[in-house]
Amino acid sequence: MKKPKRASAAKAKKGRKASASRSKAAPRRLAKRSAKILGKPARRGASAADDTRATIRGLRSKLREAERRVAELEAAADTDFLLEIPNRRGFERELARAIAYMKRYRASGALIVLDVDRLKPINDSFGHAAGDEVLKAIAATLTRQVRASDVVGRLGGDEFALLLWNLSETDAKAKAATFEQAIDELSFAFRGQRVTAGASAGVALLGAQSDAGCALEEADAAMYVRKAHRRHEPRIRLVSN
């Protein structure tokens, strides 16, 4: 009766060893299958850790590239494709940020809305390519007239906006007159004719109590008042060479 018992114990011990061996081999088999699916040779130990670190580095690189691309797309969405200055969306964002800063630090500034007086006759007479050239020249002129901290944007069509820091009302109105004069003095040649175009500017002061939407409306209304005053001034001349 005892001999079968010893045989049974030996058999059980052998079974436990085989089970342990299978348990140890299972992860290796799983790794081999995974490597086969991924098309890579199976590795163990330090090599597997190196693969993991390489995968992490690759994912981080792709994440940085995706973030860079998102930033580029956001910048493009805020930029006028023709003039390469902020469009209405981008300018309104800058204006809101500026007002938030003014509220926090008690700073001040001015908003100027400027409208090209008669861009339509240029488009009608010489085509939209001529009108685009005029807009580019105006954008460049305005950009040269402001500081690096100021913002020049295009609200749409022939309307521009400028965000200027730390100006009194007198200084802001003087600056608006300077912009008008600089644009009045621009001259273009299309199809053998010399063309000049003017602009009208309206001013709204900015401070801790300002609201971006209200400031734009105020400057826009002032611009139309100014445009009415300039109706009898020569704003566009077509003079044959």
Side-chain angles (χ1 to χ4, degrees), residues 6 45 60 85-86 99 105 127 146 171 179 185 188 216 222 225:
R6 285 196 297 270
R60 285 176 175 168
I85 59 177
I99 291 176
Y105 297 103
V146 301
D171 291 338
F179 294 146
E185 292 174 354
F188 307 89
L216 280 168
V225 171

Side-chain angles (χ1 to χ4, degrees), residues 208-225:
Q209 306 303 318
S210 295
D211 173 81
C214 292
L216 280 168
E217 290 178 3
E218 182 182 347
D220 197 55
M223 178 271 293
Y224 278 107
V225 171

Side-chain angles (χ1 to χ4, degrees), residues 97-99 101-102 107-110 147 149-150 163-167:
R97 287 175 180 170
I99 291 176
Y101 180 92
M102 292 173 188
S108 63
R147 298 159 295 185
S149 58
D150 299 330
L163 169 61
L164 309 176
W165 287 90
N166 301 320
L167 288 181

Side-chain angles (χ1 to χ4, degrees), residues 3-22:
K3 288 183 179 179
K5 202 171 191 180
R6 285 196 297 270
S8 179
K11 188 175 181 180
K13 185 177 181 181
K14 185 177 180 180
R16 286 195 297 272
K17 288 183 178 179
S19 178
S21 177
R22 286 194 299 272

